[in-house]
Amino acid sequence: MKLRRILALTTLALAPLAANATLTTLTAPWPPTGSTGLDGVEFNVQTNAATGVMVAMGAHPYKNGATMPNDGISTFYAPSGIYAADGLGRANWSFDFAWNLGTGCGSCKVVLSIDQDPSSAIDYVSNDQMKAAFGSSYAESWNLTMGFIPFTFDPFGASDTNFLLQVLDADGAVMVESGIRVLVGSNSVPEPSNLALAGLGLAAAAFARRRALRK
């Protein structure tokens, strides 16, 4: 009986970890014809139910697989350093983005915003010409060492970077948006087994406390 109670409490402690898992791979019609390198990448995909407009943000190891550890919702845990094999000096991870505006969104804007502050503070720099540059349907992978935004990224340092992809209507109102957070360096992700042990420990402590209070 005691063991069943402890296990039940453990299940309750771990339940939030399994809830709200939204990361998924792209499905047809994504990625658009011509896009490469995004097979198996996990995205935070968001859709405007009224218009069907879709946006997605994701992240993956640079030239080293399709997936990175994540919380199943919007946070990825990336390795620090650079990928030396190709000599380009790229960071060991890249961020990915995609959108599909469908039809009837001729006046829409696609805005990509990237956090230029490596700490937990958020200081976005934005590009609101993504649709003008790439069209109404697009998917791609970029690396922060490419220098396309006006800040210097240190791939070797610990960092906390937010990414936001939005579609705005003709009045500038947000129709739909997708965001992710990438933690690098000292920000590590707990192993599932450690999470389970922690949950079991908390449950056991709660049981012991209740028992002591009854005496």
Side-chain angles (χ1 to χ4, degrees):
M1 181 65 180
K2 293 178 181 178
L3 179 60
R4 280 202 297 269
R5 290 190 63 185
I6 292 175
L7 290 176
L9 288 169
T10 302
T11 301
L12 289 174
L14 295 178
L17 299 174
N20 302 317
T22 60
L23 292 179
T24 183
T25 56
L26 297 184
T27 57
W30 291 5
T33 302
S35 296
T36 59
L38 299 179
D39 293 340
V41 172
E42 293 177 307
F43 284 83
N44 176 4
V45 180
Q46 300 294 330
T47 304
N48 182 306
T51 64
V53 172
M54 297 182 289
V55 291
M57 290 290 315
H60 76 281
Y62 177 74
K63 293 188 177 182
N64 194 24
T67 61
M68 288 195 302
N70 58 70
D71 68 351
I73 303 172
S74 60
T75 300
F76 292 84
Y77 303 88
S80 60
I82 62 171
Y83 181 84
D86 60 7
L88 298 177
R90 303 295 185 221
N92 272 324
W93 59 278
S94 295
F95 69 95
D96 311 286
F97 56 93
W99 68 82
N100 192 334
L101 303 182
T103 60
C105 202
S107 301
C108 296
K109 274 190 173 182
V110 178
V111 182
L112 175 64
S113 300
I114 302 174
D115 181 10
Q116 60 182 338
D117 188 336
S119 72
S120 58
I122 298 176
D123 182 15
Y124 279 128
V125 58
S126 301
N127 182 338
D128 65 357
Q129 298 299 310
M130 300 297 286
K131 176 191 171 188
F134 303 111
S136 61
S137 182
Y138 190 69
E140 190 56 273
S141 174
W142 286 358
N143 197 287
L144 284 179
T145 60
M146 290 178 175
F148 55 88
I149 47 179
F151 74 95
T152 300
F153 174 72
D154 177 12
F156 294 97
S159 58
D160 184 343
T161 305
N162 286 268
F163 300 83
L164 184 64
L165 187 66
Q166 299 172 304
V167 175
L168 310 182
D169 65 15
D171 297 321
V174 177
M175 297 176 62
V176 64
E177 64 181 28
S178 171
I180 62 168
R181 180 186 185 190
V182 179
L183 300 178
V184 179
S186 61
N187 305 291
S188 59
V189 57
E191 293 292 335
S193 58
N194 292 339
L195 288 173
L197 288 173
L200 183 60
L202 289 172
F207 176 75
R209 177 176 173 78
R210 286 186 179 184
R211 185 179 180 186
L213 290 174
R214 287 176 180 174
K215 290 183 176 180

